[in-house]
Amino acid sequence: GAGVSQSPRYKVAKRGQDVALRCDPISGHVSLFWYQQALGQGPEFLTYFQNEAQLDKSGLPSDRFFAERPEGSVSTLKIQRTQQEDSAVYLCASSLAQGSNTGELFFGEGSRLTVL
Amino acid sequence: AQRVTQPEKLLSVFKGAPVELKCNYSYSGSPELFWYVQYSRQRLQLLLRHISRESIKGFTADLNKGETSFHLKKPFAQEEDSAMYYCALSPLGGGFKTIFGAGTRLFVKA
């Protein structure tokens, strides 16, 4: 594909519902990142994958958040029992770099989640 | 702990005026610094990185390790520079977490 693709672009959930957000990275990109961006804030790191291995999940705010990348390509961010404070734009980024440094991140357009 | 601080939420300048977007960082090791930009209705994208030492769209940024700063500068602002700018830090030599500042909105007035 031409770039990182995310779906859905917009999601409205009732409090308590589960949601799943999908990210399709640039083909061949080993590294994949999820960020959460609240209104008026910069992107906050959630988790990082290198191929299918989740190497850092220190930014996940609670055990309601879960991410996977089972075949080292497409990734899904799942939020269980959504709360109003989960309302944000969820950004996915991929990178060709691995190992010693992150390198340039290529971002998707984001998935805007609104929890009512 | 890693931290990136952008003290200005909004910066408004006239077309043709110099512009400087401030960025200070906190990191105990050797960092790689980036500026990302988000134009209206577009996705976040890399503007420049300190390792490349290049000028992109007339913008430059110098890493000052003594002052732990990485300010973004352009001598003559253009209207098309109006956007959201984010300073970001990534650990060099081992580490995957790129940390972003809160961002500065640059508005260039005609």
Side-chain angles (χ1 to χ4, degrees), chain A residues 37, chain B residues 36-40 42-45 83-86:
Chain A
Q37 187 172 24
Chain B
Y36 281 82
V37 61
Q38 187 166 26
Y39 300 103
S40 179
Q42 294 188 27
R43 62 187 68 194
L44 197 56
Q45 59 187 287
M84 197 74 190
Y85 291 80
Y86 295 95

Side-chain angles (χ1 to χ4, degrees), chain A residues 14-36:
Chain A
K14 291 184 179 178
R15 190 173 58 160
Q17 279 185 329
D18 297 347
V19 300
L21 308 176
R22 176 190 167 105
C23 173
D24 202 338
I26 294 172
S27 178
H29 277 196
V30 170
S31 301
L32 185 145
F33 303 79
W34 283 100
Y35 285 84
Q36 180 190 59

Side-chain angles (χ1 to χ4, degrees), chain B residues 28-100:
Chain B
S28 56
S30 294
E32 181 171 12
L33 275 297
F34 306 81
W35 277 98
Y36 281 82
V37 61
Q38 187 166 26
Y39 300 103
S40 179
R41 299 187 182 84
Q42 294 188 27
R43 62 187 68 194
L44 197 56
Q45 59 187 287
L46 180 68
L47 178 63
L48 56 79
R49 54 199 298 182
H50 90 272
I51 283 180
S52 302
R53 297 185 179 276
E54 52 190 351
S55 173
I56 305 292
K57 298 185 178 182
F59 284 98
T60 58
D62 291 317
L63 177 61
N64 185 324
K65 291 187 178 180
E67 295 182 358
T68 59
S69 68
F70 188 58
H71 304 326
L72 183 68
K73 299 177 185 179
K74 185 169 182 176
F76 308 104
Q78 303 298 314
E79 288 180 76
E80 55 265 30
D81 296 329
S82 295
M84 197 74 190
Y85 291 80
Y86 295 95
C87 183
L89 175 155
S90 178
L92 262 176
F96 317 107
K97 188 185 301 187
T98 298
I99 302 299
F100 287 81

